[in-house]
């Protein structure tokens, strides 16, 4: 981002927090959110995903939920606060990627679409973390292939498919420069 444009990115991020934050108290999904709360409790007690209980996503989702459980007690609210921040981050990164090639209005449209798509439904899936890390990998791929690889690798830890897609995108981004 140009040195004088930081305020635009800050406004986009704060607006993303507000848009996603509106959904923070919307209902409860007993099945999905119950599974995450149960996994968080098990991880906070020292159990490991795959070894001690079934896990259909990467292990980072369960370690993050377990860490939140240890820090704040068993609650969906702590996960939802993290999700709101991740949703806003995804929106910000979509805006930043769009601004590389598109005019401001189109980049804002891309940001709005991404932010609204992330905000609903409020399921406790690892998509938000994986997408934020994957988009971050694409953003830094031109300047730092190693940083892009690290971010894509972290995305794999949340969702294997999204992380591998991010790794491929980061390689293509780095090769295109």
């Amino acid at each position: 981002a140009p040195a004088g444009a930081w305020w635009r990115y800050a406004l986009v991020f704060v607006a993303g927090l507000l848009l996603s934050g509106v959904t923070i108290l919307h209902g409860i999904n007993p099945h999905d959110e119950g599974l995450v709360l149960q996994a968080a409790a098990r991880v906070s007690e020292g159990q490991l995903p795959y070894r001690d209980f079934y896990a259909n996503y990467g292990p980072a989702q369960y370690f993050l939920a377990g860490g939140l459980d240890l820090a704040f007690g068993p609650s969906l609210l702590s996960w939802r606060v993290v999700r709101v921040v991740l949703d806003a981050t995804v929106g910000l990164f979509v805006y930043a990627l769009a601004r590389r090639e598109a005019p401001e209005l189109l980049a804002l449209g891309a940001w709005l679409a991404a932010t609204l798509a992330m905000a609903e439904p409020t399921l406790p899936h690892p998509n938000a973390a994986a997408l934020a890390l994957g988009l971050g990998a694409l953003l830094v791929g031109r300047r730092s292939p190693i940083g892009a690889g690290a971010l894509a690798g972290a995305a794999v830890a949340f969702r294997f498919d999204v992380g591998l897609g991010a790794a491929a995108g980061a390689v293509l981004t780095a090769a295109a420069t």
Side-chain angles (χ1 to χ4, degrees), residues 38 73 82 102 114 124 131 134:
Q38 182 61 30
V82 170
L131 286 172

Side-chain angles (χ1 to χ4, degrees), residues 7-61:
W7 62 270
R8 279 192 220 160
Y9 292 90
L11 283 175
V12 163
F13 183 74
V14 169
L17 289 173
L18 293 173
L19 284 174
S20 184
V22 168
T23 69
I24 200 165
L25 297 177
H26 282 192
I28 292 175
N29 182 310
H31 178 73
D32 290 328
E33 291 181 318
L35 288 173
V36 167
L37 284 176
Q38 182 61 30
R42 294 178 83 160
V43 166
S44 69
E45 294 168 357
Q47 293 185 22
L48 295 174
Y50 315 113
R51 185 190 76 184
D52 299 316
F53 61 92
Y54 173 76
N56 58 343
Y57 293 120
Q61 174 72 5

Side-chain angles (χ1 to χ4, degrees), residues 2-163:
W6 67 268
W7 62 270
R8 279 192 220 160
Y9 292 90
L11 283 175
V12 163
F13 183 74
V14 169
L17 289 173
L18 293 173
L19 284 174
S20 184
V22 168
T23 69
I24 200 165
L25 297 177
H26 282 192
I28 292 175
N29 182 310
H31 178 73
D32 290 328
E33 291 181 318
L35 288 173
V36 167
L37 284 176
Q38 182 61 30
R42 294 178 83 160
V43 166
S44 69
E45 294 168 357
Q47 293 185 22
L48 295 174
Y50 315 113
R51 185 190 76 184
D52 299 316
F53 61 92
Y54 173 76
N56 58 343
Y57 293 120
Q61 174 72 5
Y62 306 105
F63 292 128
L64 174 59
L68 291 170
D69 200 46
L70 284 171
F72 303 108
S75 171
L76 286 176
L77 189 57
S78 59
W79 164 250
R80 287 187 176 186
V81 168
V82 170
R83 182 195 52 84
V84 165
V85 172
L86 290 169
D87 290 350
T89 301
V90 167
L92 174 67
F93 289 174
V94 165
Y95 171 79
L97 284 166
R99 279 301 292 146
R100 286 182 172 175
E101 305 294 332
E104 182 73 20
L105 192 56
L106 192 56
L108 285 171
W111 162 80
L112 182 61
T115 301
L116 291 176
M118 295 302 297
E120 275 296 328
T122 59
L123 297 176
H125 50 63
N127 297 350
L131 286 172
L133 291 162
L135 291 168
L138 295 177
L139 275 171
V140 303
R142 291 180 181 174
R143 292 186 321 269
S144 174
I146 292 171
L151 289 170
V156 167
F158 280 92
R159 267 199 70 154
F160 306 125
D161 54 345
V162 174

